[in-house]
Amino acid sequence: MSDIAILGAGAFGTALAIALSHHGNRVTLWARDPEAVRTMNAERCNARRLPGAAFPSNLVVTADLPAALASARTVLLTVPMQSLAGLLAQAHPAEGSALVACCKGVDLASGLGPTGVIAAACPGAIPAVLTGPSFASDIGHLLPTALTLACADAEAGPALQHQLSTPVLRLYLSRDMAGAELGGALKNVVALAAGITMGAGFGESARAAIITRGFAEMLRFAETTAADPDTLRGLSGLGDLTLTATSEKSRNYRAGLALGRGEPLPEGMTIEGVATAQAVERLAAKRNVPMPLTAMVAAVTRGEVSVPEAAAALLARPLKAE
């Protein structure tokens, strides 16, 4: 048995807490809202975020952040990407703790990915990334799921892989944290574009083209970073892209559908692809990396161009070889 803290009681954090505590770990799930904690402890489920998934007896829910971190040396960070820096400014994990980022995106304020934010806020911690094709409902209901666990530490990585794997949650280990987090961030932008395509009625053939050309942009951007492009061809890139750019369970895909239909973005929903598109557009411009699809998603989500105008601009680009 091991002690694991999970900071963030959204659907994904709750799902991981259930899956890992079912496997015999002592898990503490931290939520910011004390009233939500009281409700979860009384009902032994998170009915609002993950209905129908019961809490095992060894899962503790608390709003006390120091208490959640007190005995845990493995901490999973499941808050939205744009909230990560603020959370780490409040949290004080023990020196040498493994901080596993489960959020996907690029921090708008710093331009850093999750492990960069962790390194800046907690230099004594061991950063890692848990990412890949997964929906919270599948993990929380103990359905088979495969993810990438990326950790550059040669000793901590295998230990985390064994600690966080279960009979139905299979983790593949990588040392390429940059590639793993980049795939998880960029696929959300392409999922938005795929949803916009379907919402606008452009059809499945157009969606297939968007996914393919979007993946080409992901690889092109990766080549300008420390990431290994081959990492993006695995679970954390292509695998995650395949899932989130084709399923209405994906928040980013659903948001894209709404935009394509001319509807406002859903209220109260975390849509990481919106902020990621803005951040990556700026970074790509600085590095002189052509990312027309990302730029169009950024422009559409800012309200600068309409969906028909964005489509016309992409189709009018010069013809080129694949």
Side-chain angles (χ1 to χ4, degrees), residues 68-295:
L69 295 170
S71 60
R73 295 298 175 267
T74 299
V75 182
L76 275 57
L77 304 166
T78 59
V79 296
M81 182 64 216
Q82 304 309 318
S83 303
L84 180 60
L87 171 64
L88 292 177
Q90 303 172 43
H92 300 286
E95 189 82 7
S97 294
L99 301 187
V100 184
C102 303
C103 44
K104 301 172 181 179
V106 178
D107 181 60
L108 271 172
S110 65
L112 297 172
T115 57
V117 172
I118 291 171
C122 305
I126 300 169
V129 181
L130 183 63
T131 185
S134 56
F135 289 136
S137 58
D138 294 342
I139 293 175
H141 289 95
L142 309 180
L143 299 179
T145 304
L147 299 174
T148 295
L149 174 70
C151 181
D153 190 298
E155 293 185 6
L160 283 171
Q161 181 185 29
H162 284 88
Q163 182 187 26
L164 301 178
S165 294
T166 78
V168 291
L169 185 60
R170 182 175 177 84
L171 304 188
Y172 287 83
L173 185 62
S174 170
R175 296 188 67 179
D176 181 16
M177 296 192 299
E181 67 181 23
L182 192 60
L186 296 179
K187 61 88 185 178
N188 283 332
V189 179
V190 183
L192 266 172
I196 290 170
T197 300
M198 294 302 289
F202 295 149
E204 293 182 347
S205 298
R207 180 178 63 180
I210 288 292
I211 293 171
T212 306
R213 297 313 303 163
F215 186 57
E217 284 194 13
M218 292 170 61
L219 293 174
R220 192 157 58 237
F221 188 78
E223 289 170 354
T224 71
T225 71
D228 181 351
D230 279 344
T231 302
L232 275 72
R233 296 184 176 95
L235 288 167
S236 59
L238 182 58
D240 211 354
L241 173 62
T242 301
L243 183 68
T244 56
T246 58
S247 172
E248 291 194 35
K249 288 183 180 180
S250 160
R251 293 189 303 266
N252 288 279
Y253 185 71
R254 291 203 308 275
L257 286 172
L259 288 169
R261 293 167 182 155
E263 300 167 0
L265 290 173
E267 291 186 11
M269 183 189 295
T270 299
I271 306 163
E272 293 287 14
V274 174
T276 301
Q278 315 297 329
V280 171
E281 181 189 32
R282 292 200 296 261
L283 290 170
K286 289 179 181 177
R287 297 172 186 173
N288 198 28
V289 183
M291 299 188 72
L293 187 62
T294 299

